[in-house]
Amino acid sequence: MLSCMLRKYLNVGRIVPKARQYSTQIGENRAEKGLVLGLYEQEIDTEEPRLSPTAIHFDAKTDGKLLNLIKEYNLKGKLGSVKVFSNIDSEIGSVAIVGLGLEGVRYNELEAIEEGMENVRVAAGIGAKTLAKEGCLQIFVDPMDYPEQAAEGSGLATWRYQANKTKKERKPIPKLDLYDSVEVEAWTRGLFKADAQNLARSLSDGPGNQITPTSFAQAAVDALCPCGVSIEVRNKDWAEAKNMSCFLSVARSSCEPPIFLEISYCGDEKAGRPIMLAGKGMTFNSGGLCLKNPETMSQYRASMAGAAAVVATIRAAAALSLPINLVGLIPLCENMPSGMAFKPGDVITAMNGKTVAVHDTNNAGRLMLADTFIYGQMTFKPKLVVDVATLSGGIVHALGGAASGVFSNSDFLWSQMQKAGTISGDRVWRMPLWQYYTHKVTEYSNVDISNAGRGKGSACLGAAFLKEFIPCVDWVHMDITGVGMMKQGEGIPYLLKDRMTGRPTRTLIQFLYQLACSNQQKHGLVETKPGQN
């Protein structure tokens, strides 16, 4: 049995309705309480300030004091702007007025996003984060017409990875509550989804000496078993018995023993064959003998971000009781330079008998997934396969941190994933899965396939490689190198800069909901089509 070694590093216990665990007791005094309220943007300067419905009620409670302060400070409601007022209410010490942008915005076709929902995430996140910096230990949040998204934004913005800070230096994570609304179910769902992404963030951000294959497996057990999800932890001997030569060729480069996780969630006995989720679980990728640049190598502790997203997504599916059957497969190992490391020019025989030439040891993740695909299809006969992986640096050059690159052999699955991205605010973009790229990885005289291929377009070549191990099933490949690892720049203000993001966990949750629930109101998650109000 695995030990409880990871509990001191990660808060990955069972999801509870408040979706948080607190190390600091929440203060009862007024100074420790804060409130986030929304203000819509004025389209013309002479227009009266337009408060959210909840803010209107609060203003009436203060006899118009709030509105007078907004006018006095000339607040315009520009998206992301924030102003904190103190001592205007007898029960709440600090009130943050956050800009919501223009009222009534919906689906933005050019930006491929549900703009109203994303504006609420941004506003709630900035407001809650500002109040947390002010020392508030309990923060009430205005639902701003989208309580689920308000919970997501505030839950993501106030969480931080600080397991390796000394206890006295750790900042308390505030308790979040919905303010002046009966939509508690939607709010709680949003906290569940934010908590799932925060789990993925904590796993991805953990240093490589703490998040090893064994400790990742322990964290997955701790996170999933209390939710009623079953998990089998397979060892090296099992992988050898299954002839997982591609996976083991990568794993032998490290003294850390490889592990293969099988996760099963049964949400509906009548749902039939499961959906298979596969996550690349390389807990550190040095590049092997084709060594990565030392200056940026430390961030490749998050080469298991795909595996982290799969674990977090399945936990959220269980917490939300989605009527769907899932199997999650995660190969876990390190890719290191050593005397046992596989070498450029090596030829490996995969589980399906295809010979693979290793032309770049840095492209080890696709080798791990090849055996995973074959085993999963043979064993579970899934109705479709979704894999999530930090597969290639090429997708970063193509899309940056704006979207996950999606490759699919199914137009229907692509449309569902695209819709999920517009709703979650964590967008996706379809990339080509053409025969042009297949020829680049398969047309070799001495082997069946190359793990690198010829020419440019590394993200497309990586997807073409994986496609050779998905012979006859609907499939979606998500390359998350640009989004699932370290956040760069100023985009997505409710996520911390220079920390791992946990993306695209919420998009995966929304995608699974759309496949599971035909009734829009069932389980309450958002199910809209772009352009619908």
Side-chain angles (χ1 to χ4, degrees), residues 26-35 91-95 131 135-140:
I26 301 302
E28 294 297 328
N29 65 69
R30 174 172 161 271
E32 293 176 340
K33 294 182 178 181
L35 172 62
E91 298 176 354
I92 296 173
S94 301
V95 178
L131 290 176
C136 294
L137 298 179
Q138 184 173 19
I139 298 173
F140 298 92

Side-chain angles (χ1 to χ4, degrees), residues 155-421:
L156 292 168
T158 55
W159 182 91
R160 63 196 64 246
Y161 179 81
Q162 48 189 355
N164 290 303
K165 299 280 285 185
T166 57
K167 288 187 177 180
K168 66 178 181 179
E169 295 295 327
R170 295 179 189 179
K171 298 179 181 179
I173 298 176
K175 180 178 184 289
L176 300 174
D177 286 299
L178 183 63
Y179 185 76
D180 191 28
S181 175
V182 297
E183 297 185 90
V184 177
E185 288 187 12
W187 168 262
T188 303
R189 282 193 306 274
L191 288 182
F192 280 150
K193 293 162 75 176
D195 235 36
Q197 185 165 341
N198 290 340
L199 168 60
R201 293 165 82 184
S202 66
L203 288 168
S204 301
D205 232 344
N209 64 321
Q210 293 173 6
I211 307 296
T212 63
T214 301
S215 56
F216 183 101
Q218 176 65 60
V221 169
D222 289 346
L224 297 173
C225 287
C227 302
V229 177
S230 64
I231 180 167
E232 295 284 345
V233 181
R234 310 293 194 181
N235 61 17
K236 179 182 177 182
D237 292 340
W238 176 89
E240 288 177 342
K242 295 294 182 181
N243 295 317
M244 291 186 169
S245 300
C246 287
F247 172 40
L248 292 172
S249 69
V250 181
R252 75 184 186 200
S253 68
S254 171
C255 60
E256 290 288 345
I259 286 176
F260 192 94
L261 297 183
E262 286 183 24
I263 304 167
S264 297
Y265 164 70
C266 182
D268 185 357
E269 293 181 354
K270 299 179 181 179
R273 293 178 297 151
I275 292 172
M276 184 177 117
L277 303 179
K280 172 189 163 190
M282 191 178 293
T283 57
F284 192 84
N285 185 15
S286 69
L289 294 180
C290 301
L291 203 64
K292 291 182 180 289
N293 185 339
E295 293 181 3
T296 58
M297 191 186 294
S298 66
Q299 68 175 293
Y300 288 93
R301 66 187 186 275
S303 282
M304 34 60 67
V310 167
V311 170
T313 298
I314 294 176
R315 189 173 81 157
L320 295 165
S321 300
L322 291 186
I324 196 169
N325 296 335
L326 301 173
V327 58
L329 301 181
I330 299 175
L332 293 161
C333 70
E334 294 180 338
N335 182 23
M336 303 295 286
S338 73
M340 293 294 291
F342 65 132
K343 305 171 288 296
D346 283 359
V347 176
I348 308 163
T349 302
M351 281 183 70
N352 64 352
K354 288 192 175 184
T355 55
V356 180
V358 177
H359 288 146
D360 188 346
T361 64
N362 191 23
N363 291 339
R366 58 199 69 178
L367 297 174
M368 299 164 65
L369 288 174
D371 280 342
T372 302
F373 286 175
I374 300 164
Y375 171 74
Q377 291 171 89
M378 291 171 54
T379 306
F380 300 100
K381 304 295 190 292
K383 63 177 67 174
L384 63 98
V385 175
V386 179
D387 80 87
V388 192
T390 54
L391 203 73
S392 69
I395 204 68
V396 182
H397 297 295
L399 300 175
S404 300
V406 170
F407 301 79
S408 182
N409 58 8
S410 165
D411 289 341
F412 171 75
L413 292 182
W414 157 245
S415 68
Q416 291 298 311
M417 189 65 77
Q418 182 186 36
K419 182 164 67 173

